[in-house]
Amino acid sequence: MSKETLQGLKSVPYFSEVPDTALAELASCAAIKSYPKNSIIIREGEEGGALFIILSGKVQAYLSSANGRMVILSTQGAGSFFGELSLLDGEPRSASIAALEPTICSLILRLALKTWLKSHPDAASSIIRSLTQRIRSLTENVRGLALSDVYGRLVKTLYDMAVENENEWIIREKPTHQDLANIIGCSREMVSRIMKDLERGGYLSVERKFILIRRKLPASW
C-alpha cells in the first residue's frame, strides 16, 4: 500500500469521515500511474471506471466542441481528485482531463470501490454529503455564467485565483488571456481589452510570472 495513496484518500471530501483503517483497505486496491506533460488522461465521452487521486503534478478539466472551442472547468493539483462521477454512476466521462505538467495519480477502479462499500456502508453517507456540496458549487458557477456579464465573470475568476497579501492580491501562476477566456466563456480579445484597461487604471499590474491586483477592482466597467 502506498502511503501517498492513503494520504490522498484522506484529502478527498468523500472519505473525510471514514476511519483510517477502512481507508487503508481501499488504498491497498489502488494502482499508481504517471502521465507526461500535455497528455490526455481522460477524454470526454469515453467509458468511466476509476477514481483518480493526484499525488503530484497538475491537471486541467475542460469541455471542447467539434469546432475547437474550449471551456476550462477547473485546474487541480496534488491532493485533489477527479473521475468520481463516472465511478459512481457508470456513465461516460463528462469532461476531459489533461496533464499541465508531469503528473502522478493513484487510481481506484469502480469494482474495488463497490466491493469496499459493501464492507463499509457508513462511508456512503460521507459520499452523499460531498456530492451535495459539489452540486451546490456547480449551481453557483452556473449562476455566475447566467447572471453576470463578461467583466463580472472575469473579476470573479481573478479573485478566485488570487491570494490576499496585505492590501493587495497576487495570482502567482499567471494565466494567459486565452486561459481566462476559456474559463469565463468569451473571446481572448475581450479579455485582453479589459485587462489592458484595468492596467491603465492602476488596478492591476501584469508581471512576467504573476499578476498583482493593487486595489479593489470596480464592480462594473
Side-chain angles (χ1 to χ4, degrees), residues 1-12 27 30-35 41 51-59 76-82 101-108:
M1 178 189 67
S2 165
K3 291 183 178 179
E4 291 83 0
T5 297
L6 180 56
Q7 290 302 317
L9 282 172
K10 288 181 179 181
S11 71
V12 177
I32 306 296
K33 191 169 182 180
S34 299
Y35 300 90
I41 301 175
L51 171 69
F52 293 72
I53 301 167
I54 305 172
L55 302 181
S56 65
K58 185 183 298 181
V59 305
Q76 299 167 262
S80 189
F81 64 98
F82 57 90
E101 59 188 48
T103 298
I104 300 175
C105 292
S106 178
L107 281 66
I108 297 176

Side-chain angles (χ1 to χ4, degrees), residues 52-151:
F52 293 72
I53 301 167
I54 305 172
L55 302 181
S56 65
K58 185 183 298 181
V59 305
Q60 188 173 79
Y62 64 93
L63 302 174
S64 57
S65 64
N67 61 10
R69 288 194 62 189
M70 177 189 291
V71 175
I72 296 174
L73 301 177
S74 65
T75 299
Q76 299 167 262
S80 189
F81 64 98
F82 57 90
E84 74 282 1
L85 293 182
S86 293
L87 180 70
L88 295 172
D89 64 13
E91 295 296 317
R93 299 295 188 184
S94 58
S96 297
I97 305 286
L100 297 179
E101 59 188 48
T103 298
I104 300 175
C105 292
S106 178
L107 281 66
I108 297 176
L109 297 179
R110 181 190 299 124
L111 180 59
L113 180 66
K114 290 176 67 175
T115 301
W116 178 79
L117 280 173
K118 289 179 181 179
S119 301
H120 305 281
D122 291 346
S125 61
S126 179
I127 292 176
I128 291 171
R129 278 192 291 274
S130 295
L131 280 174
T132 301
Q133 291 169 1
R134 285 217 162 187
I135 291 171
R136 289 185 184 277
S137 177
L138 177 61
T139 300
E140 288 304 310
N141 289 341
V142 172
R143 184 198 306 276
L145 285 172
L147 303 181
S148 299
D149 58 13
V150 170
Y151 174 78

Side-chain angles (χ1 to χ4, degrees), residues 23 48 54 95 121 163 189 217:
L23 281 184
I54 305 172
V163 293
E189 292 76 15
L217 300 177

Side-chain angles (χ1 to χ4, degrees), residues 149 151 193-194 196-201 203 217-221:
D149 58 13
Y151 174 78
R193 185 165 60 250
I194 296 173
K196 184 60 68 176
D197 286 346
L198 289 172
E199 279 192 87
R200 288 172 180 158
Y203 290 97
L217 300 177
S220 60
W221 196 258

